[in-house]
Amino acid sequence: MGLQAALHLLYPPQCLTCDALVTTDFGLCGPCWRETPFITGLVCDLCGTPLPGEDPGHTVHCDDCLTLARPWARGRAALLYKDNGRRIVLALKHGDRLDLATPAAGWLRQAAAPILAPEMLVSPVPLHWLRFLRRRYNQAALLSAALARLAGLDHCPDLLTRPRNTRSQEGRSREGRYENMAGAIRPHPRHTARMRGRKVLLVDDVMTSGATLAAAAEACLTAGAAEVSVAILARVAKQP
């Protein structure tokens, strides 16, 4: 009997979000799987939100992305921010469930497969250092590191910095979110050469208005990135 099989006998794998037994590590039981809103089918090519209808054979955009000028080129999301998707994000973000980063990155890699490129530089959306001290980790950095490893891409955890401690985005209007993030994210001076002329993939846990991702993308483009794309674990959006 192999070591892994012996460990499974002693410690049977449990569902990521409940105590039910499952057949593989980092798996979801049947009920939790059904409550996890994975995004499939036709999606907006800029933010990954699901759209109604069949694939028309060309890129399509949601109403938000038709209204707003996104500074990034393409985007994908793995989950809708609701039901078990919301619980997973909150557990990773505030519940010290660092073990969720690996399976979540696997879902994100599958969702982002159409926008990944061989020479992409992967980086997380940064936290301000005070928030990092309180939380002790950056959940976006855990996701980006695992995603880069799974996809075989270059990873830079501190490509960007967040010198201004922005106030919470919760409860703000779309305009308020963008005003709050204006100039809040900058390229790290030690790493600007790494992104110059390269495609960059920014990773974050949740996208609502896109204000934070826009600030991060603009910082990359200012530093000379050839193109920026985004990969988000969960998208706040209505179901089609």
Side-chain angles (χ1 to χ4, degrees):
M1 179 183 296
L3 177 60
Q4 190 69 28
L7 287 173
H8 279 180
L9 283 176
L10 291 171
Y11 308 103
Q14 290 183 308
C15 173
L16 286 170
T17 54
C18 76
D19 294 330
L21 298 182
V22 292
T23 57
T24 59
D25 292 322
F26 305 118
L28 294 167
C29 68
C32 287
W33 180 273
R34 289 190 290 273
E35 290 182 12
T36 304
F38 292 100
I39 295 175
T40 59
L42 183 65
V43 299
C44 172
D45 196 56
L46 276 170
C47 73
T49 196
L51 296 173
E54 301 295 326
D55 187 350
H58 56 80
T59 57
V60 290
H61 298 141
C62 67
D63 290 343
D64 279 353
C65 290
L66 287 171
T67 304
L68 295 171
R70 305 289 194 191
W72 63 84
R74 304 185 75 187
R76 289 295 186 275
L79 310 169
L80 284 172
Y81 187 69
K82 58 177 288 188
D83 303 331
N84 209 36
R86 182 175 183 273
R87 288 192 287 272
I88 288 170
V89 169
L90 293 178
L92 174 63
K93 190 170 189 172
H94 300 298
D96 291 334
R97 287 291 309 277
L98 277 62
D99 59 301
L100 292 171
T102 295
W107 304 333
L108 193 49
R109 181 195 180 193
Q110 184 174 356
I115 68 172
L116 298 181
E119 300 301 321
M120 259 181 172
L121 178 61
V122 183
S123 180
V125 169
L127 282 179
H128 185 267
W129 66 271
L130 283 175
R131 193 168 297 178
F132 183 85
L133 284 179
R134 286 197 298 269
R135 195 174 294 167
R136 304 185 308 282
Y137 61 91
N138 179 1
Q139 71 282 355
L142 296 177
L143 287 170
S144 65
L147 174 60
R149 184 171 61 251
L150 290 171
L153 297 173
D154 193 11
H155 182 246
C156 185
D158 56 346
L159 189 70
L160 301 172
T161 64
R162 199 161 180 163
R164 183 160 61 83
N165 191 13
T166 54
R167 292 166 293 175
S168 172
Q169 295 280 66
E170 190 172 347
R172 295 177 183 273
S173 66
R174 178 188 291 173
E175 293 75 14
R177 287 171 179 262
Y178 275 84
E179 288 174 4
N180 190 39
M181 289 305 304
I185 297 177
R186 298 176 186 172
H188 197 299
R190 285 206 310 266
H191 302 308
T192 52
R194 292 188 67 181
M195 71 173 108
R196 193 170 296 125
R198 293 181 68 177
K199 293 183 178 181
V200 173
L201 180 70
L202 294 174
V203 177
D204 207 358
D205 57 341
V206 179
M207 175 182 169
T208 304
S209 67
T212 302
L213 283 162
E218 286 167 355
C220 291
L221 294 171
T222 297
E227 184 179 273
V228 178
S229 295
V230 300
I232 314 113
L233 176 58
R235 175 73 166 101
V236 177
K238 295 178 181 179
Q239 283 187 295

